[in-house]
Amino acid sequence: MTQTPHLTSESAACCWIPLFALRCETTRRPELAALPVALVGPDDTRRVWQVAPLARRVGVKPGMTVSQAIGLCPALKLCEPDPVHYDEQFSQLVAALGQVSPVVEPAELGRAYVGTDGLEGLYGAPEKIVEAIVCGALHTPHSALRIGWGKGKFVSWVAATRAKPGAAVIVPVGGEAKFLASQPLAVLPLDPDTHRRLLQLGVKTLGALVALPEEAVVSQFGRAGRQLWRLAAGLLAEPVVGLVVPEPIVAALTFFTPVGERDLLAHALDKLIDRALADPRRSGWRVQVVRVHAELEHGASWLMEATLKDPSATRERIAAPLKTQLERSPPAGAVERFVVEFTAFAPGTTELQLFARDAAAAARTGRRRALQSAAREIALRIRRPMLYHIIEVQPWSRLPERRYALIDFEP
């Protein structure tokens, strides 16, 4: 494995397919297109995840419980999710976009950004670049893309939300502020409290937000307010970052008879992680992202993924977040095939400490590194230092306040 530098692009095309998972199901089973259909959640099968337009018209909304949805629409057709299939279909789309541009950034299932800097010499004007993207996507099962083109990811994303299926909206360079001014406030990445406060102030569009002085918005909403104001004004252009897709390390296990017991699945998870760690390609690298997916009885599937804050090469640390997810949202059926994939890596490995001349010094270094990481996380969350050293100042004093002092902890 080698490290490859990430490519970036300021101009972007956002390719978006709404309700991607539901579209995958209707493509695979065309008879569902004429029915009120809903997918149950891959993490919580008691709630509705994606809802077809026919079901939305009678009041069914994502996040509802299944019983509430059926109460509103007795004819509702509920489908079990197949996240592995959706992921494969989206990967095909991303690969097709990669044939048009070397800078492709997947954002979420059904949405990806394509960097377009430098493509003018190859394809021509933005309209020609969009045409090349559409032609590339025709080789995938889903060609009804909504495409937005503009400077930065935010502008291109808003443009894509305004595009019709199979069409594109192009925002010319320099026209970002004019285009964004009429857009509703909901296109911004707002938390519910900030959204409510802005609506109470009478701010309903991005133009109304930009009409307020930037410093006034910052005084009310802090650093996040500055970012929101600049996004709304078209002054902040987040570049597309092309992700390097590493060759994953895969370990799989096929059960002779389907398994549904969590203890057996947890044991199988440990064995598969051990097998993947033993792969020669993993030597000298720590695991950062691990995916687990399972093929279930009756053709369904199950998928979970964990990103380790501190990349590791030990089974216990890799398995811990996965076992938590397994306990919280186990597979909806018995497992026929179990697969573990290491998909992202970080250089170096703590295993090298075993060969240090001074094992105690290596252990102290590891503890200090963990303390530094914990101190940084606390400071980021609370926005001020909360860890202190206690030192003696006047040990002869009878008053504890004078005898000791607190200084900021800097491991």
Side-chain angles (χ1 to χ4, degrees):
M1 272 174 247
T2 58
Q3 285 187 296
T4 306
H6 295 285
L7 301 174
T8 61
S9 172
E10 191 170 278
S11 62
C14 178
C15 303
W16 179 47
I17 300 177
L19 302 176
F20 185 84
L22 194 58
R23 189 178 294 273
C24 288
E25 287 294 339
T26 54
T27 300
R28 187 163 55 173
R29 300 161 60 187
E31 69 275 9
L32 296 177
L35 300 175
V37 182
L39 283 177
V40 296
D43 298 325
D44 186 357
T45 55
R46 297 170 299 178
R47 293 189 178 275
V48 172
W49 175 32
Q50 292 191 359
V51 182
L54 288 176
R56 282 180 177 269
R57 291 173 189 169
V58 294
V60 180
K61 297 180 181 179
M64 280 185 171
T65 63
V66 170
S67 57
Q68 289 174 328
I70 294 177
L72 289 170
C73 181
L76 185 67
K77 173 70 174 177
L78 292 171
C79 298
E80 292 285 338
D82 191 353
V84 174
H85 175 67
Y86 311 148
D87 190 68
E88 290 174 351
Q89 296 299 306
F90 185 56
S91 296
Q92 289 184 28
L93 175 60
V94 172
L97 297 176
Q99 300 299 315
V100 179
S101 170
V103 186
V104 179
E105 181 183 345
E108 62 179 3
L109 192 67
R111 176 157 59 107
Y113 295 100
V114 179
T116 60
D117 282 350
L119 296 185
E120 296 86 354
L122 186 61
Y123 299 105
E127 291 81 4
K128 295 296 183 180
I129 297 174
V130 169
E131 185 179 338
I133 292 173
V134 172
C135 291
L138 288 175
H139 299 291
T140 70
H142 305 284
S143 57
L145 285 174
R146 301 173 190 242
I147 300 177
W149 189 94
K151 184 179 179 182
K153 291 193 292 187
F154 178 70
V155 173
S156 64
W157 157 241
V158 177
T161 63
R162 298 296 169 260
K164 295 180 180 180
V169 170
I170 296 174
V171 181
V173 176
E176 294 85 10
K178 181 179 179 181
F179 168 73
L180 293 173
S182 61
Q183 303 304 322
L185 200 63
V187 300
L188 286 171
L190 297 169
D191 60 81
D193 181 61
T194 302
H195 194 187
R196 177 183 56 79
R197 290 171 62 188
L198 286 171
L199 290 178
Q200 288 175 343
L201 293 171
V203 178
K204 297 182 180 179
T205 64
L206 302 192
L209 177 61
V210 175
L212 300 174
E214 180 181 0
E215 294 305 320
V217 177
V218 174
S219 66
Q220 285 290 321
F221 301 101
R223 185 183 301 175
R226 187 182 301 279
Q227 182 182 16
L228 294 174
W229 191 93
R230 292 186 175 181
L231 281 175
L235 301 177
L236 191 60
E238 298 174 316
V240 180
V241 180
L243 300 181
V244 179
V245 181
E247 182 182 354
I249 294 176
V250 181
L253 175 64
T254 301
F255 296 106
F256 291 108
T257 58
V259 172
E261 294 80 4
R262 296 185 194 178
D263 290 342
L264 290 178
L265 292 177
H267 180 69
L269 180 63
D270 285 337
K271 295 299 182 184
L272 289 174
I273 291 175
D274 280 338
R275 191 188 303 173
L277 286 172
D279 191 296
R281 293 176 296 158
R282 207 276 311 162
S283 179
W285 295 82
R286 292 174 293 163
V287 180
Q288 189 164 34
V289 179
V290 57
R291 288 160 43 96
V292 178
H293 57 90
E295 296 176 7
L296 310 181
E297 285 185 306
H298 312 302
S301 67
W302 174 79
L303 174 69
M304 64 178 177
E305 181 175 286
T307 301
L308 306 179
K309 287 194 298 183
D310 296 318
S312 177
T314 60
R315 183 191 68 195
E316 291 77 11
R317 296 187 64 182
I318 296 171
L322 298 171
K323 289 182 178 179
T324 300
Q325 292 187 47
L326 177 63
E327 188 66 28
R328 186 173 62 244
S329 53
V335 176
E336 295 181 339
R337 190 168 183 266
F338 211 36
V339 182
V340 167
E341 296 182 7
F342 296 162
T343 60
F345 306 86
T349 171
T350 54
E351 291 170 349
L352 297 178
Q353 292 182 3
L354 297 175
F355 303 98
R357 293 182 179 180
D358 185 354
R364 286 194 299 271
T365 301
R367 286 195 298 269
R368 180 173 294 276
R369 193 172 297 140
L371 283 173
Q372 289 173 338
S373 176
R376 284 195 300 268
E377 185 170 348
I378 290 173
L380 286 172
R381 290 191 178 190
I382 305 179
R383 298 184 180 179
R384 60 191 179 94
M386 290 293 291
L387 298 178
Y388 304 95
H389 279 298
I390 301 175
I391 61 171
E392 280 190 333
V393 180
Q394 298 178 3
W396 56 85
S397 176
R398 295 182 180 180
L399 301 176
E401 294 84 356
R402 293 183 180 177
R403 193 181 307 155
Y404 302 103
L406 298 177
I407 64 172
D408 289 346
F409 174 73
E410 295 181 359

